[in-house]
Amino acid sequence: MKILKPADELEAAQLIAKARSEGTRLEIRGNGTKRDIGNAVSAEKIISASAMSGITQYDPAELVMVAKAGTLLSEIDKALAKNKQMHVFEPANYGKLLGTNGKQTIGGIAASNMSGPRRYVAGAARDSLLGVRFVNGSGEIIKNGGQVMKNVTGLDLVKLMGGSWGTLGFITEVSFKVLPRPETQITLAIHNVSDADGAQLMATAMATSADVTGASHAPADIASQLMNAPVKGGITFMRLEGLKETIGVRRDRVIASLPKGLNIQEIDARASLALWKMIRDVLPFADQDQRPVWRISVAPMSGYKVAAAILDKLEGQVFYDWQGGLVWLRLDDVSNANAPVVRNIVKDHGGYATLIRASEPVRASTAVFQPEIAPLAALSERIKMAMDPSGLFNVGRMSPDV
């Protein structure tokens, strides 16, 4: 398939306008690191932002950065590190989980709303976006707040583009807020804890004023991988970040809030960094096989209940992030026969399930994203028609019917 690589925003607009006049459907892509997430796209050509790269504005004192969509995340991280700053939302990298070798772009992060362990206290990637420039399906260049689009007046275009997976427009530039990097961090690992007790411990710690920035739980099999050593029971992890002078006080505050007699291990800064990278990037399931991996989002105290209900019917493994509200589930059966079981249980708990990894045949026959109820599906269709009236962009990716 031919790949179009516009050098700038104007060329992108011209190429998209031409595609519309010719009736050519386009697959929007950065470096393709997340191409295997979502249903198959119906397209005749690919348009990539990979040639549109560079940080266009960065004022560390203002905690704001502006970058072209094709800018590598590694380039942005390097610039932030020089000023001891970081992304607010701790972007995840599913490259090893999906078996892709490409390097992530900031446009891809924005379009997928990819967020890591800090998401439940700092917000998602879209919450860090301050502005966005993109080309709509009519070939028009849109700047957040700079042009009112017919039929979408009143919509927050920044939030709308974040997590749209390239179905609404071709992102050319994003601006986002950053934060100072914590001076240090530690993690408290509470050993021999069940899934249900882990959820309660995390809720208790989060209710304190200790500012826990990471809360995860793993049953024994997954905990052994995270600790790089065999363990006998589940482990609940709680991360504290900040000044060296305050970490000890906040650690003691968390411990004081928990029941007495727990087996609590303190993990130092270096090991803590490695641990949360494994959790962030779902490395326990990065096994290079085709067993389905589901990403389930529910209320924090419902996570272990959803996992228990699913594993009562199916064979698999789980671990939890976001205080238990993010369930990572890997099923042993590589077929798609179990998708209805997962969907129905998640639906019963008011959650959202996304099939992150599966074989190509399974992706082709399974709704990857949670099917929307009729009113939301109708609203999504109207927004799609307003932003991309000719249906050029990533047709079928988020729903085979759209």
Side-chain angles (χ1 to χ4, degrees):
M1 193 182 301
K2 184 176 181 180
I3 302 178
L4 308 174
K5 293 186 177 182
D8 54 36
E9 188 177 70
L10 180 58
E11 184 180 357
Q14 293 170 343
L15 289 172
I16 290 169
K18 181 180 179 182
R20 184 188 184 190
S21 66
E22 296 174 345
T24 301
R25 290 179 169 181
L26 300 173
E27 177 185 341
I28 293 179
R29 187 193 301 180
N31 277 340
T33 59
K34 290 172 279 295
R35 192 186 184 201
D36 289 342
I37 301 176
N39 296 99
V41 173
S42 174
E44 289 77 51
K45 292 181 181 180
I46 296 168
I47 183 166
S48 171
S50 58
M52 301 169 59
S53 178
I55 297 171
T56 55
Q57 182 181 337
Y58 176 35
D59 186 347
E62 296 295 330
L63 300 176
V64 174
M65 179 180 284
V66 182
K68 296 179 182 178
T71 309
L72 295 181
L73 192 62
S74 57
E75 179 183 341
I76 291 174
D77 286 341
K78 186 177 180 180
L80 292 175
K82 288 181 179 179
N83 293 282
K84 297 183 179 180
Q85 293 181 342
M86 66 175 188
H87 295 281
V88 180
F89 55 93
E90 201 170 0
N93 184 349
Y94 298 159
K96 289 186 178 180
L97 176 69
L98 298 173
T100 56
N101 299 316
K103 296 181 179 180
Q104 295 195 104
T105 63
I106 190 62
I109 292 292
S112 61
N113 194 34
M114 201 65 72
S115 312
R118 202 177 288 110
R119 184 255 181 272
Y120 78 112
V121 291
R126 63 161 62 94
D127 297 311
S128 289
L129 290 177
L130 301 174
V132 63
R133 293 179 67 98
F134 64 95
V135 181
N136 67 9
S138 298
E140 300 168 330
I141 296 173
I142 307 298
K143 179 182 178 182
N144 178 46
Q147 179 173 344
V148 176
M149 296 180 61
K150 184 179 180 181
N151 297 332
V152 291
T153 301
L155 291 177
D156 185 338
L157 297 184
V158 175
K159 298 295 191 293
L160 198 62
M161 295 301 291
S164 63
W165 290 89
T167 59
L168 301 179
F170 180 76
I171 296 176
T172 59
E173 185 179 81
V174 295
S175 60
F176 50 94
K177 62 182 178 182
V178 298
L179 281 181
R181 188 181 301 273
E183 185 178 67
T184 189
Q185 68 172 268
I186 63 169
T187 293
L188 300 179
I190 308 173
H191 289 253
N192 301 319
V193 177
S194 69
D195 291 12
D197 288 343
Q200 186 59 59
L201 291 174
M202 289 186 286
T204 299
M206 288 302 301
T208 71
S209 58
D211 293 330
V212 177
T213 65
S216 174
H217 176 82
D221 54 347
I222 303 301
S224 296
Q225 295 185 55
L226 294 174
M227 297 294 285
N228 197 28
V231 299
K232 295 182 179 179
I235 299 180
T236 299
F237 301 98
M238 300 178 190
R239 180 177 63 187
L240 296 168
E241 301 174 295
L243 299 173
K244 293 179 180 178
E245 292 79 4
T246 67
I247 286 284
V249 174
R250 290 161 50 220
R251 174 201 60 210
D252 295 343
R253 192 174 300 162
V254 170
I255 293 174
S257 73
L258 303 176
K260 306 298 182 184
L262 294 173
N263 180 2
I264 303 177
Q265 172 190 0
E266 182 175 321
I267 299 175
D268 64 22
R270 183 174 181 179
S272 179
L273 279 167
L275 168 70
W276 288 97
K277 180 180 179 181
M278 291 184 70
I279 294 170
R280 181 196 72 188
D281 297 344
V282 203
L283 296 188
F285 293 163
D287 40 33
Q288 305 300 310
D289 67 20
Q290 294 298 311
R291 281 179 289 176
V293 173
W294 290 86
R295 182 180 184 271
I296 300 170
S297 180
V298 292
M301 291 303 294
S302 295
Y304 74 93
K305 298 175 184 178
V306 169
I310 294 174
L311 295 180
D312 184 55
K313 298 177 180 295
L314 308 172
E315 296 293 326
Q317 303 79 40
V318 299
F319 70 97
Y320 310 84
D321 198 1
W322 299 359
Q323 197 194 321
L326 177 61
V327 181
W328 284 106
L329 168 71
R330 179 178 62 190
L331 297 176
D332 293 341
D333 188 349
V334 298
S335 73
N336 69 338
N338 297 319
V341 175
V342 174
R343 293 274 188 219
N344 289 335
I345 291 174
V346 171
K347 183 179 179 180
D348 289 343
H349 287 81
Y352 189 100
T354 304
L355 183 58
I356 295 294
R357 185 187 72 187
S359 65
E360 191 170 330
V362 170
R363 287 176 60 228
S365 58
T366 306
V368 171
F369 295 94
Q370 185 84 12
E372 295 177 322
I373 61 175
L376 284 179
L379 177 61
S380 296
E381 179 70 14
R382 291 199 298 272
I383 292 173
K384 173 71 172 175
M385 289 302 297
M387 304 281 279
D388 180 21
S390 298
L392 301 182
F393 299 142
N394 282 8
V395 175
R397 182 165 195 179
M398 295 194 73
S399 171
D401 300 324
V402 179

